[in-house]
Amino acid sequence: GAGVSQSPSNKVTEKGKDVELRCDPISGHTALYWYRQSLGQGLEFLIYFQGNSAPDKSGLPSDRFSAERTGGSVSTLTIQRTQQEDSAVYLCASSLGQGANEQFFGPGTRLTVL
Amino acid sequence: AQSVAQPEDQVNVAEGNPLTVKCTYSVSGNPYLFWYVQYPNRGLQFLLKYITGDNLVKGSYGFEAEFNKSQTSFHLKKPSALVSDSALYFCAVRSYNKLIFGAGTRLAVHP
């Protein structure tokens, strides 16, 4: 079956521009996660969605970052007024609920801010 | 605070030899522990997890991991390494709504 998909695979933008990253989770997975992978910071949690519950935004690094999940499926991560330190690989994952269930990761979006 | 440590940045092993990638954790309560592998320009692939029960957990591609509560460790092992096992390996612990990852260990298997 289809795994987690993300688009675009690569995004190059200029400092100060807004970007949107998209994630399509595995069908039937109620939990969706965004992580960021960078050389200096390793793998960091950003945000978590579970069903219709309020998202856990505790990992978002600043108010320039936001995310939404429409209809309990597709999610969009938006970064406003991008900065060079936002350059990283943004990974999306989904799982069957929470707790002990393993998370399945997409291939990531590599964001480069010039 | 929950945390995971992978003390080795890189592990080198000859093909056919056993391999171990180390992981220690610090959590309150019973841990949910995971190993993931990342190949170049790819996302993370799930290898195995420990939730409860038998301390030796078997996973994908012949990998296994041993949970040791007294040493707070969850080392990844494989009896006979393959060149194709060369990749970046991450240990992780579940903390509320997220995974907390170690810094990663690069495994290099030489022919």
Side-chain angles (χ1 to χ4, degrees):
Chain A
V4 177
S5 61
Q6 293 185 245
S7 60
S9 55
N10 281 284
K11 176 71 177 180
V12 180
T13 190
E14 294 179 346
K15 177 181 174 181
K17 300 285 189 182
D18 297 353
V19 295
E20 285 190 352
L21 313 180
R22 176 187 168 102
C23 172
D24 283 90
I26 293 171
S27 177
H29 281 191
T30 58
L32 186 146
Y33 313 77
W34 284 97
Y35 294 85
R36 178 168 71 174
Q37 184 174 23
S38 58
L39 282 175
Q41 302 297 323
L43 274 157
E44 306 171 274
F45 165 79
L46 296 177
I47 189 169
Y48 159 75
F49 296 90
Q50 170 59 44
N52 295 322
S53 302
D56 176 356
K57 304 178 182 180
S58 61
L60 295 178
S62 78
D63 59 9
R64 295 186 296 103
F65 288 72
S66 63
E68 63 178 20
R69 188 179 185 191
T70 54
S73 181
V74 171
S75 176
T76 302
L77 177 69
T78 301
I79 309 174
Q80 295 179 310
R81 304 181 303 282
T82 53
Q83 303 294 313
Q84 288 184 332
E85 60 263 28
D86 299 335
S87 296
V89 176
Y90 289 82
L91 294 167
C92 176
S94 69
S95 70
L96 280 168
Q98 48 184 326
N101 295 302
E102 57 268 30
Q103 298 175 22
F104 294 88
F105 284 78
T109 294
R110 181 175 297 278
L111 175 65
T112 303
V113 182
L114 301 176
Chain B
Q2 323 266 48
S3 65
V4 173
Q6 293 181 244
E8 302 154 317
D9 291 337
Q10 178 149 338
V11 170
N12 297 296
V13 64
E15 186 175 29
N17 283 0
L19 69 87
T20 298
V21 182
K22 295 180 180 177
C23 171
T24 58
Y25 64 89
S26 174
V27 301
S28 54
N30 294 320
Y32 291 169
L33 295 159
F34 301 81
W35 275 102
Y36 285 83
V37 60
Q38 187 175 37
Y39 296 99
N41 300 314
R42 302 280 298 275
L44 277 69
Q45 294 180 31
F46 169 76
L47 280 178
L48 50 79
K49 67 181 178 183
Y50 173 83
I51 305 302
T52 187
D54 194 347
N55 288 342
L56 185 63
V57 178
K58 294 188 182 297
S60 307
Y61 313 121
F63 283 94
E64 57 190 28
E66 186 169 10
F67 172 69
N68 187 316
K69 188 172 184 178
S70 63
Q71 297 185 4
T72 61
S73 67
F74 188 55
H75 300 333
L76 182 70
K77 301 181 179 184
K78 188 174 182 181
S80 178
L82 300 173
V83 172
S84 58
D85 293 330
S86 299
L88 189 55
Y89 290 79
F90 290 96
C91 182
V93 64
R94 179 87 189 201
S95 175
Y96 300 103
N97 298 326
K98 61 184 181 285
L99 290 175
I100 297 175
F101 289 90
T105 298
R106 187 163 301 280
L107 174 66
V109 182
H110 304 285

